Amino acid sequence: MSKTQSTDYHDEMNGSTFFEWFVKILPLLKENAVIVMDNAAYHSVKKDRIPVMSWKKQDIINWLESKGENISYPTTKGALLSQVQTIHTEHDKYVIDEYAKDNNKTVLRLPPYHCELNPIELAWSSVKSYVRTHNSTFKLKDVKELLERGVEHVTPEMWTNFVGHVVKEEEKFWTIDSITDDYMDEEPGRHILTIGDTSSDSDSD
């Protein structure tokens, strides 16, 4: 049961709670499984914090030296952060991703704000529809039972269809990106949008 009055479980989820759940669920997955993950804050706890401008200068120096970097003195915070940028990708890793990798699993992260590329959204929609359709008492105990049945109602065949739908959505994005690239690569000024011109000259253009 929720510990708050909020109807959104995201409000009481945090990185530690999610990690504990993730550790328990990972052994249930097959070897080399791919885990699709969105970018919720509790999914995205960094294994190693990366220095930013708000850090104290000495803390940035300490971070760089802990990575084996040499500091040239005198130096400025801007110069130190530039040095951070040259190596930050080696250390900019997520706790969840690294734990999954250590256990022969792969986390596939979705682009931000693209929940339509996550098949779990379609599964949850099916579960919620099942609960909504069969809920007649509106009692918490009954709703919980309906929720469990709703999850069981999502068959492997349905899941295959959900994944297939997402693949088609992804293909649409690739097509749009390709069209956009071709459009932007064409000669500057070739595409001119004229508003309110109904002359024959505009037709020929």
Side-chain angles (χ1 to χ4, degrees):
M1 183 181 294
S2 176
K3 299 176 183 177
T4 70
Q5 296 300 313
S6 171
T7 57
D8 189 350
Y9 72 91
H10 293 274
D11 293 343
E12 58 185 63
M13 181 65 74
N14 57 52
S16 297
T17 303
F18 180 76
F19 182 74
E20 290 175 5
W21 175 86
F22 190 78
V23 169
K24 292 177 182 177
I25 209 72
L26 211 61
L28 303 178
L29 305 180
K30 293 181 179 180
E31 287 294 304
N32 300 315
V34 176
I35 305 163
V36 178
M37 189 87 68
D38 64 23
N39 293 276
Y42 49 85
H43 294 164
S44 307
V45 176
K46 295 293 181 67
K47 190 167 185 178
D48 189 7
R49 293 176 61 213
I50 305 299
V52 294
M53 185 58 75
S54 60
W55 282 34
K56 292 181 179 180
K57 183 177 179 180
Q58 187 58 50
D59 290 337
I60 301 175
I61 291 173
N62 293 343
W63 187 90
L64 284 167
E65 289 180 340
S66 73
K67 309 306 178 190
E69 292 292 302
N70 296 319
I71 310 299
S72 298
Y73 295 94
T75 187
T76 64
K77 186 182 284 190
L80 291 169
L81 289 175
S82 294
Q83 192 171 348
V84 168
Q85 287 300 310
T86 63
I87 66 168
H88 87 282
T89 53
E90 302 172 25
H91 307 282
D92 193 15
K93 299 176 181 179
Y94 297 104
V95 172
I96 291 297
D97 298 43
E98 294 305 300
Y99 185 82
K101 186 189 300 181
D102 291 341
N103 288 272
N104 299 317
K105 311 290 190 298
T106 301
V107 171
L108 175 63
R109 290 185 170 269
L110 297 173
Y113 313 112
H114 280 291
C115 60
E116 67 271 32
L117 295 179
N118 195 345
I120 197 67
E121 298 293 340
L122 297 172
W124 274 121
S125 178
S126 174
V127 171
K128 288 186 287 187
S129 176
Y130 182 91
V131 173
R132 184 170 55 251
T133 302
H134 295 84
N135 187 15
S136 58
T137 66
F138 298 96
K139 294 180 180 179
L140 184 59
K141 177 178 177 296
D142 295 337
V143 171
K144 182 181 178 181
E145 291 178 359
L146 286 173
L147 179 62
E148 293 173 351
R149 282 190 233 153
V151 171
E152 294 172 355
H153 183 70
V154 179
T155 64
E157 291 75 20
M158 291 172 65
W159 185 255
T160 298
N161 290 334
F162 296 155
V163 173
H165 176 81
V166 167
V167 170
K168 290 179 181 178
E169 289 297 306
E170 184 180 9
E171 290 172 350
K172 288 180 185 177
F173 282 123
W174 280 113
T175 299
I176 292 171
D177 282 348
S178 179
I179 293 172
T180 302
D181 288 343
D182 291 343
Y183 184 90
M184 297 301 293
D185 285 345
E186 291 184 9
E187 295 179 20
R190 180 174 178 180
H191 300 284
I192 301 175
L193 177 64
T194 305
I195 307 299
D197 187 347
T198 57
S199 66
S200 58
D201 289 340
S202 65
D203 291 337
S204 62
D205 290 338

